[in-house]
Structures are given as C-alpha cells and as structure tokens.
Amino acid sequence: MEQDCDVLIAGGGPTGLTLAILLARRGLKVIVAEKEAAPYPLPRAAHIDHEGMRILQEAGAAEDVFATSRRVARYDFLNSRGKLLLRFDGVDRIGPGGWPSANMIHQPSVEAALRRSLQRYPDAVLNHGWEVGSFVDDGDGVTTRIGTPEGPKTIRSRFLIGADGARSPVRTAAGIAFDDLQFEEPWLVVDVLVDDETRLPAANLQICDPKRPTTCVLMGEGRHRWEFMILKGETAEQVSDDAFVATLLDPWDVKGAVRIERKAVYTFRARIADRWRAGNVLLAGDAAHQTPPFAGQGMCSGLRDAANLAWKLAAVVKDGAPDALLDSYQPERARNLRATIDMAIMMGRMVCTTNRWGALARDLKIGIARILGKQPNRPSGYPTIMEGLIIAESNAAGSYFPQPVAPDGTRLDDVLGAGCWLLSRDMLSAAPIRPFAPAIERWLDDRQSDAVLVRPDRYVFGTGDPRDLRAAWEEATRLRPAALGDPVAAAREDIRI
C-alpha cells in the first residue's frame, strides 16, 4: 500500500515534536497528530538537564529554550526545622552534555521553540485537532484512522509512534500494560507569575515536613512553582480552593510578590510499560513511562527516548538497516529509565514521609549517611546502557560521550553534526576537531583507548582499534559507512562514518 508518511506520531508534546524534528533532519516524511486544537498554554514540566538540552540542540531549539530558562546552584532537602538533609550542589555548572546541568524551564516556551524548528522541514507536518483512533498493523506498515476537524482520515505509515501521554490511546489499543512500581501520591501544583523575585527562594527546595511535604522550585523566566502533598482525608476540590491555597502560601510570605497562574491536582506515579514495541507500533515519553518529579527527569526521559529512537527508525526506513535494530530500543532505555525512576522514588519517599516518628528515623538515617559519605551526589544517575547495540566487553561501552565546548563557545555536535562518529587519536589534528582535541584526548587517556565510536544518540558503541570498531558497527547494523553520515568536508570523512 502507498504510504502517506514514513512515521506517524500520535502526540505533539515535547517528545513527539523532538522525535519529528530528528526524523525530518534524517530525511524522513513525518506527520504529527495532536488531538488538542491549540498548544497547551500553561506550565507543566519545570526542568531539563544537560543531556536534554543537547538533544534540543540537535533539534534546533536549544538556544531559544536556554534564552528563557533559569539556572539554580542548589537543590536542597530540608526537614521540618529547616535543617539541611541533602544537597545537590553546583547544578548550574556545565554538565557532560555541554550545557548547564539544571535548566528551569517554561514548557509552553519549549514547545513553541520546537514548533518553530519543525516548520523548517517541509516533509514534517504538525496537525492540531487530529485524534488517533483505531489502527491496523499488517506487518508492512500501519493504517490509522484519525478524527480531524474536517472529518475522518486514514493515514498509512511505515511506523506509528505513541507519544500521546500517560493515558495513551495508542498504548491501550496496542494492548500494552503498565508495570506499577509502587509509588502513587496526590499533590497540588501551584504555578505563579513573579512580580518580585527578591522575595522568593534562590534555590530549589524540598521541605520534608511530615505535616505537609512541600516542593518549591524555580521555573522559566518570571515564574515559580510550589507543590503541596495532599493529605489523607483532603479532596482535590478542597485543596484547590483559593482560600486554602492562600493558607498554604502564607508561610512563604509572598503575598503581593506573586500571582497565581495555575492550580492543578496531580497524582505522582512511577510506572513503566511492559512492552515499548508491538510490531510497527512503538511508545515514547509518558506513554511508555511515568516518573515522579522529584529528580526532574520526566521531560528529560522523553527526550532521551526520542534521541534513541530517531536514528534507529531512520536507519531502518532510509538506510536498509534490519527491522530488528528497533528491538534494542526498550532494553537500552528501560534499564536506564528504571535507574532514574529508582532515584526519583528514593527522593520521593524521603519527601513524602508524613509520620512524625518515621520522619525522625529518616533524618537520623540521612545524617549517618552524610557522615559516612554515602549520600547521592546528583539528582539523577545517568546510568550506562547495559545491553543493546554496544560492544559489551569494550571499555566504556554504553557510557554517555561528553560534548566538549571550544574556547569560543562552539560545541562539538555543531561541528561534527548528526550521525555516528569514529574518533581516534590520529584524527585529532583534523581542522574541524582540533579545538576539542585536548578534551577528547583526555577522555581516551582515561579509558586507555586509541579510538571511540560514538552512536548518533551520543552513547558509546565501543572503544579500541578504529578498524575493528568500524567493522563491528557495520556487522551490528548492516549499514554501509556511506549511509551513516553525509560529510560536508573531506576532513570529516574519517570521523563521521
């Protein structure tokens, strides 16, 4: 059957938009079906880490996002008396991805930047008011029924991606279940517009008070957020009442300094789909997993999904890679994600303690851990890829390859571009890579390696002899070197394979 597009994406949020751009950059024809008639105007996610910003960099949206985001130096966990329990310090410093480790954002601004970037690609179309209904996967592709403002449509695509949120109709229709990771807590979220920033905390805070666990964090420019745990016996209607919200904010002494923009009740959950792929249907973002917000990794996890999935879909659709390449998507991402969720659950359980004696025991336990130097030193673990498309026995395989920044501010990815890189010591004098050579050489020295092959999602395929790495990559993907990049200068041909 003739196809309308290579990939149909259900959901026009950050994950779906980013995936669409990364696919379009690789020459695929993409349709995004977003059921809402217009972009959602109110804040939701509040944080993107350095790796998420690097993915947005490839998607052409990072500079716009960075311009309206804010940095914060500390993320503190305090007990009911204001005593420090746990601190993540220096999160405003440049992370391995070449951007600050923590960037507090305004999600509608992020989505607007992604939509502007998507418009640069004529073969990628975002349709608002399109709701994905039933679909049939016949093995060669997917035929999807879609409700639109103009009436029902049928779209034929090679692949269908469900990036349609936690309630994902695509996931439900595909018969995919969720594994419940046993964390579920209702919270009230209060977003405010800031008129006097000097009266607000300059750090991100988790108040571990058993009387009312509370979160207070910066957001994008001109905004702030409080989150209040809903206690047993309280209803969503009760805690959303203006007078009730005012009493929750009273201890912060911000009357006259802020104006409420949004109040919403959420249930913070930890769940993960038992399958991320059913034939030609795949899941990404909240459709595949839900992460409690305490580590700030919800949106970041969806962006990582997009980065992992985009190059594999393009390799299969455009470059003749085996369909089985897509089977590496879930093993690579799910194990990584579970470590991230475990961190968020640990932080969430520490915050959500509402028993007084349990809180005292927690404080004592954390104090002992601090003395012993066993506290975590960052809000997410960035675990390596343990299985999938890597040379498992190779040193540093599956680890995240950093993005050096040149003295003039140029970033490595902008010079070498998309695709797979083969970086060896004898290539470090090549003109495009020379400004980054010291950082790359240190990385190779630390791993006692002569070369590294970096995947398009910037995870390490393997290290060792460059000829062996090239041969192993071709064997694993069945891709000819010419299909893995489009060098624009002769000096890059040995780097981008």
Side-chain angles (χ1 to χ4, degrees):
M1 296 177 63
E2 185 177 348
Q3 293 182 351
D4 299 289
C5 62
D6 296 309
V7 179
L8 172 64
I9 300 173
T15 300
L17 291 172
T18 301
L19 178 59
I21 295 168
L22 298 183
L23 291 171
R25 280 174 54 90
R26 291 167 167 85
L28 273 63
K29 187 175 182 180
V30 185
I31 295 175
V32 180
E34 167 53 50
K35 70 175 182 178
E36 299 299 334
Y40 189 72
L42 297 176
R44 283 175 290 181
H47 169 264
I48 299 178
D49 63 14
H50 63 92
E51 187 178 353
M53 288 297 295
R54 187 180 188 178
I55 295 167
L56 293 181
Q57 178 187 340
E58 183 182 353
E63 293 294 346
D64 284 353
V65 171
F66 191 71
T68 60
S69 66
R70 290 195 292 168
R71 261 60 59 202
V72 61
R74 301 192 320 276
Y75 183 16
D76 288 347
F77 290 67
L78 309 177
N79 67 11
S80 60
R81 301 184 303 279
K83 181 180 178 181
L84 182 68
L85 296 174
L86 177 65
R87 169 170 291 173
F88 299 116
D89 210 352
V91 292
D92 56 342
R93 294 195 290 265
I94 300 298
W99 294 86
S101 294
N103 304 274
M104 309 309 296
I105 54 92
H106 175 235
Q107 183 170 331
S109 298
V110 175
E111 294 185 17
L114 287 167
R115 287 193 296 275
R116 287 193 294 271
S117 181
L118 187 67
Q119 291 172 356
R120 302 179 190 133
Y121 301 95
D123 282 338
V125 180
L126 168 63
N127 297 287
H128 281 281
W130 281 33
E131 186 166 4
V132 170
S134 62
F135 55 83
V136 176
D137 180 358
D138 59 23
D140 293 324
V142 185
T143 302
T144 305
R145 296 277 292 174
I146 299 177
T148 80
E150 293 78 32
K153 290 184 182 294
T154 299
I155 298 293
R156 176 72 177 176
S157 61
R158 175 71 174 83
F159 291 100
L160 168 63
I161 309 300
D164 48 348
R167 295 184 178 90
S168 179
V170 171
R171 185 189 66 238
T172 301
I176 298 174
F178 257 138
D179 288 338
D180 192 335
L181 302 184
Q182 304 303 311
F183 185 92
E184 187 168 321
E185 297 289 351
W187 283 64
L188 170 70
V189 177
V190 179
D191 290 315
V192 302
L193 300 170
V194 179
D195 294 321
D196 185 355
E197 190 175 312
T198 64
R199 292 175 56 190
L200 274 69
N204 287 343
L205 302 173
Q206 293 284 359
I207 310 301
C208 307
D209 185 349
K211 293 180 181 178
R212 174 85 65 182
T214 302
T215 300
C216 176
V217 296
L218 284 73
M219 295 187 71
E221 193 172 50
R223 288 176 166 83
H224 214 90
R225 168 175 290 176
W226 278 268
E227 297 170 352
F228 302 96
M229 186 174 173
I230 298 175
L231 304 179
K232 187 177 294 187
E234 294 177 339
T235 66
E237 293 75 18
Q238 177 186 353
V239 300
S240 300
D241 180 76
D242 287 345
F244 193 92
V245 172
T247 63
L248 295 176
L249 291 176
D250 277 345
W252 296 89
D253 190 27
V254 292
K255 188 174 183 179
V258 302
R259 288 169 287 127
I260 293 177
E261 183 179 23
R262 181 185 75 139
K263 301 171 294 181
V265 171
Y266 284 97
T267 299
F268 297 160
R269 292 186 174 95
R271 301 194 296 180
I272 186 167
D274 59 8
R275 289 182 295 143
W276 295 23
R277 182 186 186 192
N280 293 310
V281 179
L282 297 101
L283 304 179
D286 287 352
H289 44 74
Q290 296 172 29
T291 307
F294 304 101
Q297 289 296 302
M299 181 188 289
C300 300
S301 295
L303 296 178
R304 290 188 184 97
D305 293 347
N308 185 292
L309 193 52
W311 71 268
K312 295 175 182 177
L313 285 169
V316 170
V317 171
K318 190 178 180 185
D319 299 325
D323 182 86
L325 179 65
L326 296 171
D327 291 335
S328 66
Y329 169 54
Q330 181 175 353
E332 290 181 356
R333 286 292 302 126
R335 189 163 180 173
N336 183 296
L337 181 71
R338 280 183 181 271
T340 300
I341 292 178
D342 286 346
M343 172 68 81
I345 290 175
M346 180 278 291
M347 296 164 71
R349 286 178 175 155
M350 183 170 74
V351 173
C352 294
T353 301
T354 56
N355 178 276
R356 177 186 173 190
W357 298 109
L360 288 172
R362 173 203 62 201
D363 295 355
L364 179 60
K365 182 178 179 180
I366 292 174
I368 293 173
R370 184 190 301 116
I371 294 171
L372 297 176
K374 293 185 177 181
Q375 285 188 324
N377 58 10
R378 52 186 175 183
S380 60
Y382 303 108
T384 60
I385 293 173
M386 302 300 293
E387 58 180 312
L389 194 66
I390 58 173
I391 305 175
E393 68 276 10
S394 171
N395 187 17
S399 63
Y400 184 61
F401 190 78
Q403 176 176 215
V405 181
D408 66 356
T410 303
R411 293 181 172 89
L412 178 66
D413 295 11
D414 291 334
V415 172
L416 296 185
C420 183
W421 306 335
L422 178 60
L423 302 172
S424 64
R425 293 183 187 275
D426 58 6
M427 296 175 184
L428 298 184
S429 59
I433 204 170
R434 196 175 299 135
F436 312 99
I440 296 172
E441 189 167 28
R442 283 194 300 272
W443 190 94
L444 293 171
D445 287 344
D446 290 344
R447 289 147 186 86
Q448 300 180 330
S449 298
D450 293 327
V452 57
L453 197 150
V454 183
R455 303 178 351 161
D457 56 7
R458 303 308 161 228
Y459 281 81
V460 173
F461 173 68
T463 56
D465 179 85
R467 290 169 298 185
D468 293 342
L469 290 173
R470 181 187 290 268
W473 177 260
E474 292 181 43
E475 181 180 0
T477 63
R478 300 184 199 168
L479 293 175
R480 297 184 303 274
L484 298 174
D486 56 348
V488 296
R492 298 180 185 174
E493 288 180 355
D494 287 336
I495 295 170
R496 295 179 58 191
I497 66 171

